[in-house]
Amino acid sequence: MIYVTRREVFSASHRLHNQNLTDEENIEIYDKCNNPNGHGHNYTLEVVVAGQVDPKTGYVIDLKLLKKIMREHVIAKLDHMNLNLDVGFLKGIIPTAENIAKGIWEQLHDKLPSGKLYSVKLFETENNYIEYRGE
Ligand code: NI
């Protein structure tokens, strides 16, 4: 099995808030991330596609195509957006990195012309990232 990775970046704002909890509970759980007017991140997204090498092309997936698919189905929908309000696939979901990564998986997993989506890794800061493998 060969693993092919494409990295993209985007910037977005969000507020972590569970409307089923009290304001005090939200502050307890999310602290500064519960700031009423939100805050921003420069996200880095790494998408890994796994598969066998096509003997005709030598590729698992054409990275030009993976770039185009990621930009069309993910980056265009997230970049410079408010993740609480502007993104159809995050409607009603608390936009933690965990939930954003799951949403990105749902956007991509059935769009790949070859190989299989293996992992979605989302860096919210240089030191904090989460990884989702569709399990
Ligand atoms: Ni945040």
Side-chain angles (χ1 to χ4, degrees):
M1 193 72 80
I2 305 280
Y3 300 87
V4 176
T5 303
R6 171 74 194 176
R7 181 182 300 136
E8 291 284 337
V9 297
F10 63 94
S11 301
S13 68
H14 70 172
R15 181 193 188 202
L16 302 184
H17 184 84
N18 183 335
Q19 59 187 8
N20 298 317
L21 302 176
T22 65
D23 287 349
E24 291 71 27
E25 287 171 317
N26 272 293
I27 289 166
E28 172 75 25
I29 294 169
Y30 299 119
D31 194 31
K32 284 191 284 190
C33 297
N34 187 240
N35 176 40
N37 294 325
H39 62 276
H41 292 284
N42 295 316
Y43 291 93
T44 297
L45 169 65
E46 290 181 0
V47 167
V48 184
V49 175
Q52 301 298 335
V53 175
D54 180 334
K56 181 179 155 194
T57 61
Y59 292 154
V60 172
I61 183 170
D62 183 340
L63 274 161
K64 290 190 302 295
L65 279 178
L66 181 56
K67 168 183 165 182
K68 185 169 176 283
I69 290 163
M70 287 170 67
R71 290 197 173 172
E72 180 181 342
H73 296 284
V74 176
I75 303 303
K77 294 177 180 176
L78 299 178
D79 192 31
H80 287 72
M81 296 297 175
N82 179 319
L83 302 178
N84 297 85
L85 301 174
D86 297 328
V87 183
F89 69 83
L90 295 176
K91 276 272 146 58
I93 292 171
I94 301 167
T96 57
E98 288 88 333
N99 281 333
I100 301 164
K102 288 178 77 176
I104 290 169
W105 178 281
E106 290 306 317
Q107 291 302 298
L108 292 177
H109 77 96
D110 58 356
K111 308 284 189 323
L112 304 177
S114 61
K116 275 201 167 28
L117 186 55
Y118 176 76
S119 106
V120 168
K121 198 182 273 187
L122 185 65
F123 291 75
E124 201 166 60
T125 70
E126 215 173 291
N127 296 320
N128 297 343
Y129 69 90
I130 70 94
E131 182 171 16
Y132 182 57
R133 293 185 181 168
E135 298 154 340

